[in-house]
Amino acid sequence: SGCERGVDALQTLSQEFPAASVQFAAVAIHASHRATAALVRAHHWTIPVAYDIDGRVGEDYSIEVCPFFELAARGGTVVDRLIGTRWTRAAALAPRVRALIAR
């Protein structure tokens, strides 16, 4: 799915950027712990992946489509919101991550 490809892209980027400059995480919306853990194992993700079993986190962030990325500066201020399958490739996301780091 586009959601899984998006997390795959984040995983790839996490290998390219030092943890001191950027951190990556994902949230599986409307997913159980068991289903999320199975995805993490199947894809060999090492970035943190939380699960939102009842969809409340998704509602709080008004997430209606997947993939959905928010890039936040230190302190949590969102500076970019990327929506759609265009962003499921690390090559598409990398320039936005570099711009975030350069802020």
Side-chain angles (χ1 to χ4, degrees):
S1 78
C3 298
E4 291 172 29
R5 286 191 312 271
V7 180
D8 287 338
L10 293 179
Q11 178 65 46
T12 298
L13 289 175
S14 74
Q15 308 300 312
E16 293 180 29
F17 293 95
S21 24
V22 65
Q23 295 178 346
F24 297 91
V27 178
I29 308 294
H30 289 290
S32 68
H33 178 265
R34 178 184 228 172
T36 303
L39 283 172
V40 167
R41 281 191 304 276
H43 289 266
H44 307 287
W45 295 330
T46 58
I47 64 171
V49 180
Y51 65 98
D52 175 23
I53 198 160
D54 60 7
R56 288 188 186 173
V57 171
E59 289 174 15
D60 287 348
Y61 284 87
S62 301
I63 298 172
E64 297 178 12
V65 66
C66 184
F68 175 99
F69 301 94
E70 281 194 339
L71 305 181
R74 243 180 242 285
T77 303
V78 174
V79 297
D80 210 351
R81 202 174 245 200
L82 310 171
I83 301 168
T85 56
R86 170 184 180 197
W87 304 107
T88 58
R89 293 179 315 105
L93 285 170
R96 298 296 184 102
V97 173
R98 282 188 198 94
L100 177 66
I101 294 169
R103 285 179 60 92

